[in-house]
Short mmCIF file of all heavy atoms in Angstrom, two decimals:
data_model
loop_
_atom_site.label_atom_id
_atom_site.label_comp_id
_atom_site.label_asym_id
_atom_site.label_seq_id
_atom_site.Cartn_x
_atom_site.Cartn_y
_atom_site.Cartn_z
N ALA B 13 11.54 -19.04 21.11
CA ALA B 13 10.86 -20.07 21.91
C ALA B 13 10.40 -21.27 21.11
O ALA B 13 10.17 -22.31 21.67
CB ALA B 13 9.74 -19.50 22.73
N TRP B 14 10.27 -21.09 19.76
CA TRP B 14 9.68 -22.12 18.98
C TRP B 14 10.81 -22.69 18.00
O TRP B 14 11.42 -22.00 17.29
CB TRP B 14 8.52 -21.59 18.09
CG TRP B 14 7.37 -21.12 18.94
CD1 TRP B 14 7.09 -19.91 19.39
CD2 TRP B 14 6.24 -21.95 19.44
NE1 TRP B 14 5.94 -19.85 20.13
CE2 TRP B 14 5.40 -21.10 20.14
CE3 TRP B 14 5.94 -23.31 19.25
CZ2 TRP B 14 4.26 -21.65 20.73
CZ3 TRP B 14 4.79 -23.72 19.82
CH2 TRP B 14 3.94 -22.94 20.55
N ARG B 15 10.85 -24.02 18.00
CA ARG B 15 11.67 -24.74 17.02
C ARG B 15 10.83 -24.88 15.72
O ARG B 15 9.69 -25.25 15.76
CB ARG B 15 12.08 -26.14 17.54
CG ARG B 15 12.96 -26.89 16.70
CD ARG B 15 13.39 -28.23 17.30
NE ARG B 15 12.29 -29.20 17.27
CZ ARG B 15 11.90 -29.83 16.14
NH1 ARG B 15 12.52 -29.63 15.00
NH2 ARG B 15 10.93 -30.68 16.24
N ARG B 77 -1.25 -21.52 26.14
CA ARG B 77 -1.64 -22.63 27.06
C ARG B 77 -0.51 -23.65 27.14
O ARG B 77 0.10 -23.96 26.13
CB ARG B 77 -2.94 -23.30 26.49
CG ARG B 77 -4.12 -22.42 26.49
CD ARG B 77 -5.34 -23.12 25.86
NE ARG B 77 -5.10 -23.35 24.50
CZ ARG B 77 -6.00 -23.86 23.61
NH1 ARG B 77 -7.17 -24.25 24.10
NH2 ARG B 77 -5.73 -24.00 22.34
N PRO B 78 -0.19 -24.12 28.34
CA PRO B 78 0.97 -24.96 28.47
C PRO B 78 0.92 -26.24 27.60
O PRO B 78 1.90 -26.74 27.14
CB PRO B 78 1.04 -25.31 30.00
CG PRO B 78 -0.29 -24.81 30.60
CD PRO B 78 -0.80 -23.78 29.64
N GLN B 79 -0.31 -26.74 27.44
CA GLN B 79 -0.37 -27.98 26.64
C GLN B 79 -0.29 -27.73 25.09
O GLN B 79 -0.16 -28.73 24.35
CB GLN B 79 -1.73 -28.79 27.00
CG GLN B 79 -2.96 -28.08 26.43
CD GLN B 79 -3.55 -27.08 27.39
OE1 GLN B 79 -2.88 -26.37 28.11
NE2 GLN B 79 -4.92 -26.83 27.29
N ALA B 80 -0.39 -26.45 24.72
CA ALA B 80 -0.33 -26.17 23.29
C ALA B 80 1.11 -26.06 22.84
O ALA B 80 1.70 -24.99 22.63
CB ALA B 80 -1.09 -24.87 23.04
N ARG B 81 1.73 -27.18 22.68
CA ARG B 81 3.18 -27.20 22.33
C ARG B 81 3.42 -27.25 20.80
O ARG B 81 4.52 -27.27 20.41
CB ARG B 81 3.80 -28.49 23.00
CG ARG B 81 3.71 -28.46 24.49
CD ARG B 81 4.81 -29.23 25.20
NE ARG B 81 5.06 -30.53 24.49
CZ ARG B 81 4.36 -31.66 24.74
NH1 ARG B 81 3.43 -31.71 25.66
NH2 ARG B 81 4.66 -32.70 24.09
N ARG B 82 2.41 -27.34 20.04
CA ARG B 82 2.51 -27.20 18.58
C ARG B 82 1.91 -25.86 18.11
O ARG B 82 0.96 -25.38 18.70
CB ARG B 82 1.72 -28.34 17.87
CG ARG B 82 2.13 -29.72 18.26
CD ARG B 82 3.36 -30.20 17.43
NE ARG B 82 3.73 -31.48 17.79
CZ ARG B 82 3.33 -32.61 17.19
NH1 ARG B 82 2.43 -32.54 16.19
NH2 ARG B 82 3.76 -33.82 17.56
N ALA B 83 2.53 -25.30 17.10
CA ALA B 83 2.01 -24.08 16.51
C ALA B 83 2.20 -24.18 14.98
O ALA B 83 3.02 -24.90 14.46
CB ALA B 83 2.71 -22.89 17.14
N PHE B 143 -1.57 -20.36 14.82
CA PHE B 143 -2.37 -21.38 15.44
C PHE B 143 -1.60 -22.08 16.51
O PHE B 143 -0.37 -22.26 16.38
CB PHE B 143 -2.80 -22.43 14.46
CG PHE B 143 -3.54 -21.95 13.28
CD1 PHE B 143 -2.84 -21.48 12.10
CD2 PHE B 143 -4.94 -21.90 13.26
CE1 PHE B 143 -3.56 -21.11 10.98
CE2 PHE B 143 -5.66 -21.47 12.19
CZ PHE B 143 -4.99 -21.11 11.01
N GLU B 144 -2.23 -22.38 17.64
CA GLU B 144 -1.60 -23.13 18.72
C GLU B 144 -2.54 -24.29 19.17
O GLU B 144 -3.67 -24.08 19.36
CB GLU B 144 -1.27 -22.28 19.95
CG GLU B 144 -0.08 -21.45 19.88
CD GLU B 144 0.15 -20.54 21.05
OE1 GLU B 144 -0.44 -20.82 22.12
OE2 GLU B 144 0.86 -19.60 20.93
N TYR B 145 -1.90 -25.42 19.38
CA TYR B 145 -2.74 -26.65 19.80
C TYR B 145 -1.84 -27.68 20.42
O TYR B 145 -0.66 -27.75 20.29
CB TYR B 145 -3.41 -27.25 18.53
CG TYR B 145 -2.47 -27.51 17.34
CD1 TYR B 145 -1.93 -28.74 17.14
CD2 TYR B 145 -2.23 -26.46 16.48
CE1 TYR B 145 -1.08 -28.95 16.03
CE2 TYR B 145 -1.35 -26.67 15.38
CZ TYR B 145 -0.79 -27.92 15.19
OH TYR B 145 0.04 -28.15 14.13
N ALA B 146 -2.48 -28.57 21.20
CA ALA B 146 -1.81 -29.63 21.81
C ALA B 146 -1.48 -30.78 20.79
O ALA B 146 -2.21 -30.87 19.82
CB ALA B 146 -2.63 -30.24 22.90
N PRO B 147 -0.41 -31.51 20.96
CA PRO B 147 -0.04 -32.61 20.04
C PRO B 147 -1.20 -33.49 19.66
O PRO B 147 -1.38 -33.89 18.54
CB PRO B 147 1.12 -33.29 20.71
CG PRO B 147 1.72 -32.27 21.58
CD PRO B 147 0.59 -31.45 22.06
N GLU B 148 -2.12 -33.75 20.60
CA GLU B 148 -3.19 -34.76 20.32
C GLU B 148 -4.23 -34.12 19.41
O GLU B 148 -5.17 -34.80 18.91
CB GLU B 148 -3.84 -35.20 21.62
CG GLU B 148 -4.52 -34.17 22.45
CD GLU B 148 -3.57 -33.65 23.61
OE1 GLU B 148 -2.39 -33.58 23.32
OE2 GLU B 148 -4.14 -33.42 24.71
N LEU B 177 5.67 -25.50 13.95
CA LEU B 177 6.65 -25.16 15.11
C LEU B 177 6.32 -26.02 16.29
O LEU B 177 5.17 -26.48 16.47
CB LEU B 177 6.37 -23.66 15.46
CG LEU B 177 6.55 -22.81 14.23
CD1 LEU B 177 5.23 -22.00 13.99
CD2 LEU B 177 7.71 -21.86 14.39
N GLU B 178 7.35 -26.24 17.03
CA GLU B 178 7.25 -27.05 18.26
C GLU B 178 7.91 -26.31 19.43
O GLU B 178 8.96 -25.73 19.25
CB GLU B 178 7.83 -28.46 18.12
CG GLU B 178 7.02 -29.26 17.12
CD GLU B 178 7.68 -30.67 16.86
OE1 GLU B 178 8.54 -31.06 17.60
OE2 GLU B 178 7.25 -31.28 15.86
N SER B 179 7.24 -26.31 20.53
CA SER B 179 7.75 -25.72 21.78
C SER B 179 8.36 -26.84 22.65
O SER B 179 7.65 -27.81 22.86
CB SER B 179 6.70 -24.94 22.53
OG SER B 179 7.11 -24.71 23.82
N ASP B 180 9.52 -26.63 23.22
CA ASP B 180 9.98 -27.64 24.15
C ASP B 180 9.84 -27.17 25.56
O ASP B 180 10.24 -27.89 26.51
CB ASP B 180 11.41 -28.03 23.81
CG ASP B 180 12.18 -26.99 23.11
OD1 ASP B 180 12.00 -25.81 23.44
OD2 ASP B 180 12.86 -27.26 22.18
N LEU B 181 9.30 -25.98 25.78
CA LEU B 181 9.21 -25.38 27.11
C LEU B 181 8.48 -26.34 28.06
O LEU B 181 9.00 -26.54 29.23
CB LEU B 181 8.40 -24.11 27.10
CG LEU B 181 9.22 -22.86 26.79
CD1 LEU B 181 8.38 -21.65 26.95
CD2 LEU B 181 10.46 -22.72 27.69
N ALA B 182 7.38 -26.87 27.70
CA ALA B 182 6.56 -27.70 28.55
C ALA B 182 7.21 -29.06 28.86
O ALA B 182 6.74 -29.77 29.77
CB ALA B 182 5.19 -27.89 27.98
N GLN B 183 8.23 -29.34 28.08
CA GLN B 183 8.91 -30.68 28.30
C GLN B 183 10.07 -30.54 29.33
O GLN B 183 10.63 -31.58 29.73
CB GLN B 183 9.45 -31.17 26.99
CG GLN B 183 8.28 -31.51 25.97
CD GLN B 183 8.83 -31.61 24.50
OE1 GLN B 183 9.86 -31.05 24.16
NE2 GLN B 183 8.14 -32.41 23.75
N VAL B 184 10.38 -29.35 29.70
CA VAL B 184 11.58 -29.10 30.62
C VAL B 184 11.24 -29.68 31.94
O VAL B 184 10.14 -29.45 32.50
CB VAL B 184 11.82 -27.65 30.72
CG1 VAL B 184 12.94 -27.34 31.78
CG2 VAL B 184 12.27 -27.09 29.36
#
Side-chain angles (χ1 to χ4, degrees):
Chain B
W14 296 93
R15 185 175 72 75
R77 291 175 294 183
Q79 72 274 28
R81 300 204 318 272
R82 299 279 179 91
F143 301 90
E144 279 180 18
Y145 50 95
E148 62 264 38
L177 307 118
E178 293 178 13
S179 161
D180 26 39
L181 273 186
Q183 297 165 330
V184 175

